[in-house]
Amino acid sequence: MTLRRPVLTRRELLSRSASLAAFAGSGILAKPYLSRAADRPQILCGIQSGDIDAGSAVAWSRADRPSRMCIETSTVESFKSILGAASADALPDRDFTAKFALDDLPAGQDIFYRVWFEDVASGAAGETRIGHFRTAPRGNNSISFVWSGDVAGQGWGIDVARGGYRSYRTMLENRPDFFIHSGDHIYADCTIPATQALPGGEIWRNLVTEEKSAVAHSLAQFRGNYRYNWLDDNFHDFHAQVPMFAQWDDHEVTDDWSPQGSYDNSGYDENGNSRLIMRARRAFFDYMPIRERSAGGGRVYRRIGYGPLLDVFLIDMRSYRDNSWNKGDERADSFILGATQLAWLKRELAASNATWKVIAADLPIGLISLDAVALGDGPPSHREHEIADLLAFLKHAGVRNTVWLTADMHYTAAHYYDPNRAVFSDFEPFWEFVSGPLHAGTWGPGQLDNTFGPAAMYQNGCSAEQGENLAPCFGLQFFGRVDIDGKSGAMTVTLKDVDNRDLWSVDILPQPQARPAVVAQHS
């Protein structure tokens, strides 16, 4: 639903919600005077916002019962003046989640929003929570954002004594304008046990829930994976203050899934879709603050404009891939984006007038992986053909200043792609930055291939001596920060760790021509 004017008062919203009493089937008249906490809807999972642009945003929350989510927005935290109000139903078929688009917001402004739920039977209003986001600017204002991915992987859940999801607290300290989640919001295929052993005999102690005690197959189990994250205070506080641009990767469904190659005992629907994937996709959209118009048919890929300096292109490297797992004999039909999404990405990139075009990918393109793109040294093969096609298109269309961001690999790295050292050389130089996990096991750096000529300018992960799947308490949890200067247009990318240390950074100057690139590196 969109923001409605004129402003509705709380009394008007209360009156309107009473019309939903029939849903409860009780036949009891609305009783707004009830005061017991048990009679009033509670906010179970906090509040969050997402898909922010210059004039709109998406707000989300979840109640404990059938109710109506009510929201008011203001440019002042006191809510002395109200921009507008809106409401949406939170009903069982959505696991009592509710979200809607807030439109007609002023650009470049701090927006405060307060959320409460009203019981559909009694009309009683519950607690109020206040959140915040900042709309995109219309002018060349400076921008700052963070990105990462991979949460609660490998059985490393919420250990309260060790600070829980500490990366979220650190990212909040950076006060970003928004957060790009590169995927693996959950690990639906990994359980969260009560304890896990650490080197030296120490014990990691997880919060546990019924839904996280088994691999997810049912819709309730997938939804329970998302609810688990909301048990963490850092996660809760971060999402109330920082809007999210959400992608997904494989563990929202199951490890290394593909559209037709991944299924469970429930098999496929009549239209050929895997029922397992359909349930996972439903839970993802129930719990993500993503625009419904962008989600038509369960669509994740989209473009978000954040002022004249930045367009963000969130792509989906899961939903349209082939089922070969990027191996076997060379295939003409190998793909990871799919023809429709690739055509969309070319068209949108060519149409963009923003200084910087950030391609937010859920997988890297130069790290060797049967699950991703790169297969090893040599000319493009299999899924690399799509990437070669895209890179050549960008060069010949004159699309400049593209930067790729991703997570997935459970370590952090900066890759510079140079056609002068590439086997396939019909492209302009560009950067790819990898940073994660937010809260999961850490791996060692992977191997790059020479197809598109990447070089690792920096990389940081667990060492061979430490061993892989290193627990979050060892500090190798990573995120990246991007700053775009409003005056010069320069982009600074900084790779950071859970303790907010700047590990490495690079300044990239916007170029009318991509070659030669003007880059100043610093530690």
Side-chain angles (χ1 to χ4, degrees):
M1 298 177 65
T2 57
L3 195 68
R4 295 195 299 268
R5 299 175 187 273
V7 173
L8 298 178
T9 67
R10 287 179 68 93
R11 182 184 300 275
E12 289 170 330
L13 285 167
L14 186 64
S15 175
R16 181 168 295 184
S17 66
S19 65
L20 288 174
F23 173 83
S26 65
I28 301 173
L29 293 176
K31 300 176 182 177
Y33 58 84
L34 293 176
S35 59
R36 293 186 301 121
D39 296 318
R40 299 177 179 275
Q42 301 299 307
I43 296 175
L44 289 186
C45 291
I47 59 177
Q48 63 179 334
S49 63
D51 284 12
I52 310 296
D53 59 25
S56 64
V58 175
W60 176 100
S61 190
R62 179 173 180 265
D64 65 344
R65 69 191 72 184
S67 53
R68 169 156 285 187
M69 178 183 176
C70 305
I71 185 169
E72 292 175 339
T73 56
S74 177
T75 56
V76 290
E77 194 169 7
S78 67
F79 289 85
K80 185 177 181 179
S81 60
I82 304 297
L83 286 174
S87 62
D89 294 340
L91 301 176
D93 67 332
R94 289 285 184 176
D95 202 27
F96 307 121
T97 65
K99 61 181 174 181
F100 42 74
L102 305 171
D103 296 325
D104 302 321
L105 300 174
Q109 290 285 322
D110 287 299
I111 303 295
F112 299 92
Y113 64 103
R114 57 187 177 191
V115 174
W116 68 95
F117 287 90
E118 296 176 348
D119 188 87
V120 298
S122 69
E127 61 179 323
T128 298
R129 301 276 182 91
I130 296 177
H132 163 268
F133 57 83
R134 185 172 182 83
T135 50
R138 298 277 186 202
N140 290 349
N141 299 58
S142 295
I143 299 168
S144 176
F145 67 92
V146 294
W147 91 92
S148 188
D150 317 308
V151 180
Q154 293 72 54
W156 304 111
I158 302 167
D159 186 332
V160 177
R162 298 179 187 276
Y165 292 170
R166 292 199 301 124
S167 293
Y168 281 93
R169 182 178 64 204
T170 305
M171 289 194 300
L172 181 57
E173 291 170 358
N174 281 259
R175 300 296 172 185
D177 293 312
F178 60 87
F179 166 51
I180 298 174
H181 198 304
S182 302
D184 292 344
H185 297 254
I186 61 171
Y187 279 70
D189 55 337
C190 294
T191 62
I192 299 289
T195 62
Q196 293 216 110
L198 294 168
E202 291 189 68
I203 300 296
W204 179 281
R205 302 185 186 280
N206 287 312
L207 292 180
V208 295
T209 65
E210 180 179 353
E211 290 87 356
K212 285 301 299 174
S213 66
V215 171
H217 290 278
S218 70
L219 179 57
Q221 288 173 321
F222 281 111
R223 286 167 165 168
N225 272 257
Y226 290 101
R227 291 197 298 271
Y228 181 85
N229 290 337
W230 284 103
L231 299 177
D232 181 77
D233 289 341
N234 302 311
F235 184 93
H236 187 284
D237 295 344
F238 178 84
H239 283 290
Q241 295 296 322
V242 180
M244 176 172 62
F245 298 173
Q247 292 178 275
W248 72 346
D249 195 21
D250 58 336
H251 294 288
E252 280 84 4
V253 182
T254 190
D255 190 35
D256 296 350
W257 71 274
S258 63
Q260 294 300 317
S262 300
Y263 57 93
D264 63 3
N265 291 335
S266 63
Y268 296 92
D269 210 347
E270 293 180 357
N271 60 9
N273 291 328
S274 161
R275 292 192 176 100
L276 176 72
I277 296 172
M278 290 170 64
R279 291 190 289 269
R281 188 183 298 271
R282 173 65 179 273
F284 176 82
F285 281 106
D286 282 346
Y287 277 82
M288 291 296 109
I290 184 173
R291 293 180 184 277
E292 291 296 341
R293 65 172 178 263
S294 297
R299 192 179 114 179
V300 177
Y301 69 85
R302 61 205 188 277
R303 168 185 171 184
I304 299 176
Y306 204 84
L309 292 178
L310 176 65
D311 276 347
V312 179
F313 301 83
L314 299 117
I315 62 176
D316 180 356
M317 304 171 84
R318 288 289 165 190
S319 301
Y320 313 100
R321 59 170 53 202
D322 69 89
N323 302 319
S324 71
W325 278 273
N326 210 27
K327 61 184 179 181
D329 296 335
E330 177 69 84
R331 293 174 41 166
D333 61 344
S334 292
F335 45 87
I336 196 166
L337 297 175
T340 300
Q341 182 179 197
L342 180 59
W344 167 87
L345 184 56
K346 289 179 179 179
R347 182 174 65 252
E348 293 294 320
L349 283 163
S352 173
N353 292 318
T355 302
W356 293 100
K357 295 91 175 167
V358 165
I359 301 174
D362 40 303
L363 290 165
I365 59 176
L367 282 161
I368 296 174
S369 169
L370 291 177
D371 182 49
V373 176
L375 285 171
D377 292 346
S381 65
H382 293 76
R383 295 169 179 164
E384 291 173 325
H385 288 297
E386 276 192 330
I387 304 302
D389 182 23
L390 174 62
L391 296 179
F393 169 83
L394 297 179
K395 174 184 176 180
H396 296 290
V399 177
R400 304 292 184 255
N401 303 319
T402 59
V403 174
W404 292 67
L405 303 179
T406 190
D408 181 70
M409 303 306 292
H410 293 225
Y411 70 93
T412 191
H415 303 147
Y416 188 65
Y417 290 76
D418 188 343
N420 293 313
R421 57 172 171 259
V423 176
F424 175 86
S425 60
D426 191 18
F427 67 94
E428 302 285 2
F430 66 95
W431 285 92
E432 175 188 61
F433 299 97
V434 182
S435 208
L438 278 172
H439 188 89
T442 308
W443 310 114
Q447 181 183 353
L448 294 166
D449 76 0
N450 68 1
T451 304
F452 304 116
M457 311 304 288
Y458 177 81
Q459 53 188 14
N460 191 348
C462 61
S463 65
E465 292 74 23
Q466 290 172 311
E468 293 190 326
N469 193 18
L470 202 63
C473 57
F474 289 92
L476 295 178
Q477 306 290 290
F478 307 106
F479 67 96
R481 172 173 171 157
V482 177
D483 292 277
I484 302 175
D485 183 73
K487 293 182 179 179
S488 68
M491 174 184 284
T492 300
V493 181
T494 306
L495 303 179
K496 301 172 74 74
D497 69 9
V498 65
D499 294 312
N500 212 24
R501 289 182 292 224
D502 294 352
L503 304 175
W504 183 91
S505 68
V506 61
D507 297 331
I508 315 172
L509 304 183
Q511 297 296 307
Q513 299 291 332
R515 186 186 295 119
V518 180
V519 176
Q521 299 180 33
H522 49 87
S523 60

